[in-house]
Amino acid sequence: MEFVATGLRFNPHKAGLGSVNEEEATRVIVDTSKGTEFYKNEERKEKLLEKRITEVTELAGTLTEQDKERIEKLVDEQFIVSWEQERDFSRVIVHLDMDAFFASVEEIDQPSLKSLPMAVGSTSMLSTANYEARKYGVRSAMPGFIALKLCPQLVIVPPRFHRYCAISNQIASLLREFDSHVHMSMDEAYMDITEYLKTQSGTIDDVVSKIRQKVFENTGITCSAGVACNTMLAKIATDLNKPNGQTFVQPDTISIRNFLNPLSVRKIPGVGRVTEKLLSSLNIISIQDLISNRSILFHCMKRKTFKFLLQSALGIAPAFISDSESRKGMSRERTFKPTSSLEELRKICESVSELLSSDLEAEDLCAKTVTLKIKCSDFSIRTRGVTKCFFIYRYEQILENAWKLLLKELPVEIRLLGVRVNGLVPRSEVLTQRKNSLENFVSNTLKYKENNADLMYEKVKDFGSLAPTAWSLFRENRQQNEKEPEISSTGVCPVCLNFRSSNSCLLEKHVNFCIERQEHALKKIPTNSGKLKKPRI
DNA sequence: GGGACCTGGGTAC
DNA sequence: TTCCAGTACCCAGGTCCC
């Protein structure tokens, strides 16, 4: 077959796809995609990848045999020895993966689907496929219309996320019996059963079988499991015995090496098809190759990538996911028929911003950074971000920031619009901070603009639910003390709450700057009608 | 020189 | 008929500012 871009090749890395004719499936995908903007974009991406490959192979070519020996010694002494000393074999981690989860749920609810090739999703995109459909090369993240070419009798069922969530929650509560801190996403779970095992007489394999049996008896869903001393190994192990099976990796260096060495680098979670191709250009195909070519890895990769790849190859990873890990950002995006109409884009931007502000509201968060994402009609992606000097959460604030970023990109034909927020902080914390700064805000820092009621109104508005309080405090203060406007020595900027200074000139300068930024940002925002009426002074 | 920020890209599910 | 998603995280490289 002619040369095919990496992203267009049939991807066999999924349970149940082993028997598929890879070349034939790739041919169908290519024939269906050829000439489309998607195809052209894949070709563009492929060219960039080829460039990276040329650079990395040239770099590898500069190493002499003596260099390699020297670097190997350094890697062994400086890195591997200390990593090995820090290994933790003490935990027993179980990774559970529900077999073709969405499809299994649909089969339980409609048993007639069981014998048919079936996938959950739409003609645009599939979420998952049952094992019957996988025999034809149909898999998750495959467009439905291509899947139908591979398997014309495929039944595509629309997703019912509420139903999947309900069953996922049910499974999570079952698993809490074995680990009260279980980490459950929609269709997979990580458990630390070290403590639970101490209360049991059976082997690890017995206990894991019991867990899987319990899930099956209560939900009808089969699942696969991997058991090892850390989450990464457990996850790789799960993949080896799918569906409805389990794999245990003994917690010692030799067993771990024997388990990992023959596997493809692609089995490492975090190594996708691009990294796989990049590594294969360096003749690194298996995990064993990663270790034996550690000098090349050290020479050609960035430090973090080198560390990640070599540690993964050695089976070294954090034992478990920390409980304290919190969410870093949230986003919403929508794909639609490509358009450059300002009116249509505004409506989409409004609806995406509204969803995002509801998400922030639901988790009581506010954010510092707003990022706009657009996918143009040629499938190229642009992101544009802005970091504010104050926290935002209101729909209008998100919308106007995203919209301004979008206006700068026009004219352009767009097929996807997304908005993301980062720098998340609990809203209650910010409100408490604001509340604490209200006194300073009113009695000191803003005195110098006290006669400008309109400006004050705009300023106060940013206090959100505290705005009426801020306003009345301002008015009260204005009446009580009209003579001596002065800047407090306890200076916290009431606008951004980040800047602190005991230097009153500096503080005033900063507050002025912040207010101007705010006014600029607030200019086009409609007032919060009903909640805060503009008072007359 | 280092940190923060911005943008693009890779990956998982 | 349909014609490649949505959410989240991490890393790398560039720029700017102190």
Side-chain angles (χ1 to χ4, degrees):
Chain A
M1 183 187 283
E2 63 188 294
F3 175 77
V4 175
T6 315
L8 288 161
R9 288 204 71 85
F10 174 72
N11 174 4
H13 295 278
K14 184 104 185 161
L17 296 169
S19 61
V20 176
N21 181 334
E22 222 175 293
E23 288 300 307
E24 180 59 17
T26 301
R27 192 189 58 75
V28 171
I29 295 169
V30 169
D31 286 353
T32 314
S33 311
K34 217 161 195 175
T36 62
E37 289 299 327
F38 179 82
Y39 189 92
K40 289 177 200 161
N41 190 53
E42 289 302 315
E43 286 185 320
R44 274 196 293 274
K45 288 193 324 200
E46 189 66 19
K47 278 193 186 134
L48 292 174
L49 177 56
E50 291 296 340
K51 192 166 161 259
R52 276 181 74 189
I53 286 174
T54 307
E55 284 166 7
V56 84
T57 47
E58 277 176 7
L59 188 57
T62 61
L63 276 184
T64 64
E65 285 308 312
Q66 288 95 323
D67 289 335
K68 287 182 190 171
E69 269 177 40
R70 189 177 50 82
I71 296 173
E72 242 170 58
K73 192 162 177 276
L74 180 136
V75 168
D76 292 349
E77 289 171 0
Q78 301 290 317
F79 297 97
I80 297 182
V81 169
S82 59
W83 293 344
E84 287 289 356
Q85 281 167 356
E86 287 166 19
R87 258 192 208 270
D88 181 2
F89 292 122
S90 68
R91 313 306 299 177
V92 182
I93 308 299
V94 180
H95 174 248
L96 270 193
D97 195 310
M98 307 308 133
D99 299 324
F101 184 52
F102 295 178
S104 299
V105 173
E106 294 302 336
E107 285 177 357
I108 289 166
D109 292 352
Q110 291 184 70
S112 61
L113 292 171
K114 224 164 192 174
S115 54
L116 303 171
M118 181 266 291
V120 177
S122 67
T123 49
S124 300
M125 189 54 70
L126 303 180
S127 292
T128 191
N130 68 3
Y131 280 81
E132 196 53 39
R134 290 184 195 188
K135 290 179 190 164
Y136 298 84
V138 175
R139 52 160 298 153
S140 56
M142 175 179 271
F145 65 91
I146 289 180
L148 285 167
K149 291 259 163 68
L150 287 165
C151 173
Q153 68 274 36
L154 180 74
V155 178
I156 298 179
V157 177
R160 296 180 299 147
F161 291 106
H162 283 105
R163 179 81 178 119
Y164 312 143
C165 273
I167 296 192
S168 178
N169 289 337
Q170 189 190 348
I171 294 171
S173 56
L174 293 170
L175 298 180
R176 282 196 196 97
E177 180 193 331
F178 306 94
D179 174 15
S180 57
H181 295 99
V182 57
H183 280 76
M184 180 96 199
S185 65
M186 185 77 99
D187 70 339
E188 60 178 352
Y190 286 99
M191 286 180 287
D192 183 340
I193 58 164
T194 317
E195 300 307 317
Y196 179 80
L197 281 168
K198 289 177 187 166
T199 67
Q200 302 297 307
S201 53
T203 65
I204 289 176
D205 267 324
D206 292 341
V207 169
V208 174
S209 294
K210 188 170 121 186
I211 294 172
R212 290 176 43 236
Q213 187 61 28
K214 184 154 188 171
V215 171
F216 180 70
E217 281 168 4
N218 284 273
T219 64
I221 305 274
T222 64
C223 60
S224 306
V227 193
C229 58
N230 65 49
T231 49
M232 182 202 67
L233 283 169
K235 187 171 173 58
I236 295 176
T238 305
D239 207 43
L240 292 197
N241 210 346
K242 269 187 176 180
N244 203 14
Q246 63 188 58
T247 305
F248 174 43
V249 185
Q250 292 284 348
D252 64 81
T253 310
I254 304 291
S255 302
I256 291 171
R257 294 257 177 118
N258 289 339
F259 166 72
L260 288 174
N261 279 348
L263 301 179
S264 156
V265 291
R266 189 65 190 277
K267 292 286 177 190
I268 297 172
V271 173
R273 55 182 157 204
V274 171
T275 312
E276 181 188 30
K277 185 159 182 181
L278 210 55
L279 289 171
S280 88
S281 74
L282 297 170
N283 295 318
I284 298 171
I285 312 294
S286 68
I287 290 180
Q288 166 71 64
D289 296 337
L290 273 173
I291 298 172
S292 38
N293 289 287
R294 55 196 182 281
S295 58
I296 294 177
L297 221 51
F298 183 82
H299 186 61
C300 298
M301 303 288 165
K302 297 293 161 197
R303 282 297 159 269
K304 280 196 174 177
T305 312
F306 159 76
K307 187 179 174 189
F308 163 72
L309 288 172
L310 192 54
Q311 286 197 334
S312 301
L314 294 166
I316 298 171
F320 203 55
I321 305 162
S322 149
D323 262 347
S324 63
E325 278 178 33
S326 60
R327 176 199 268 291
K328 297 195 166 52
M330 55 193 353
S331 65
R332 285 284 189 159
E333 61 186 60
R334 282 290 166 273
T335 295
F336 41 87
K337 196 164 157 275
T339 179
S340 51
S341 151
L342 214 56
E343 202 180 326
E344 283 180 51
L345 290 172
R346 174 76 187 190
K347 274 187 190 151
I348 297 161
C349 196
E350 283 172 358
S351 99
V352 168
S353 302
E354 193 163 4
L355 287 169
L356 190 55
S357 77
S358 303
D359 293 344
L360 278 172
E361 172 90 44
E363 296 201 27
D364 189 42
L365 292 168
C366 54
K368 267 251 153 138
T369 303
V370 178
T371 307
L372 171 84
K373 173 180 171 184
I374 55 175
K375 193 186 276 179
C376 305
S377 51
D378 66 357
F379 284 84
S380 61
I381 292 170
R382 297 183 209 173
T383 57
R384 299 289 180 264
V386 60
T387 299
K388 311 302 291 180
C389 63
F390 49 93
F391 288 99
I392 64 170
Y393 58 92
R394 288 205 313 264
Y395 158 65
E396 296 89 347
Q397 293 173 312
I398 295 169
L399 171 63
E400 288 314 314
N401 280 294
W403 185 243
K404 268 184 209 161
L405 293 166
L406 179 61
L407 288 177
K408 285 185 197 161
E409 299 304 308
L410 298 177
V412 64
E413 196 177 49
I414 297 172
R415 58 171 292 122
L416 173 147
L417 190 156
V419 184
R420 172 167 193 80
V421 285
N422 277 77
L424 302 179
V425 171
R427 197 184 302 180
S428 50
E429 265 179 34
V430 172
L431 288 179
T432 308
Q433 269 192 48
R434 282 187 176 171
K435 199 171 178 182
N436 292 340
S437 74
L438 271 180
E439 288 294 334
N440 283 344
F441 164 74
V442 174
S443 64
N444 301 305
T445 326
L446 282 167
K447 283 273 177 69
Y448 66 104
K449 294 221 174 174
E450 64 180 351
N451 290 321
N452 189 337
D454 282 343
L455 181 66
M456 283 307 302
Y457 169 71
E458 288 298 324
K459 182 69 214 64
V460 161
K461 215 168 56 173
D462 192 55
F463 276 79
S465 59
L466 292 170
T469 317
W471 184 251
S472 62
L473 277 170
F474 164 69
R475 290 178 63 196
E476 197 180 299
N477 179 270
R478 189 171 176 272
Q479 284 158 6
Q480 279 174 7
N481 187 1
E482 289 186 345
K483 289 175 192 167
E484 304 172 65
E486 95 189 14
I487 301 298
S488 163
S489 60
T490 55
V492 179
C493 171
V495 186
C496 66
L497 301 169
N498 277 341
F499 186 89
R500 289 162 192 273
S501 176
S502 54
N503 180 329
S504 58
C505 290
L506 209 60
L507 182 63
E508 185 175 359
K509 259 188 178 177
H510 171 85
V511 175
N512 265 322
F513 167 73
C514 249
I515 288 173
E516 271 157 33
R517 279 180 74 157
Q518 277 261 36
E519 282 165 1
H520 187 67
L522 286 165
K523 242 174 209 167
K524 290 180 184 171
I525 300 175
T527 55
N528 217 351
S529 59
K531 285 188 177 168
L532 172 65
K533 286 204 171 176
K534 190 172 178 177
R536 301 164 79 98
I537 297 186

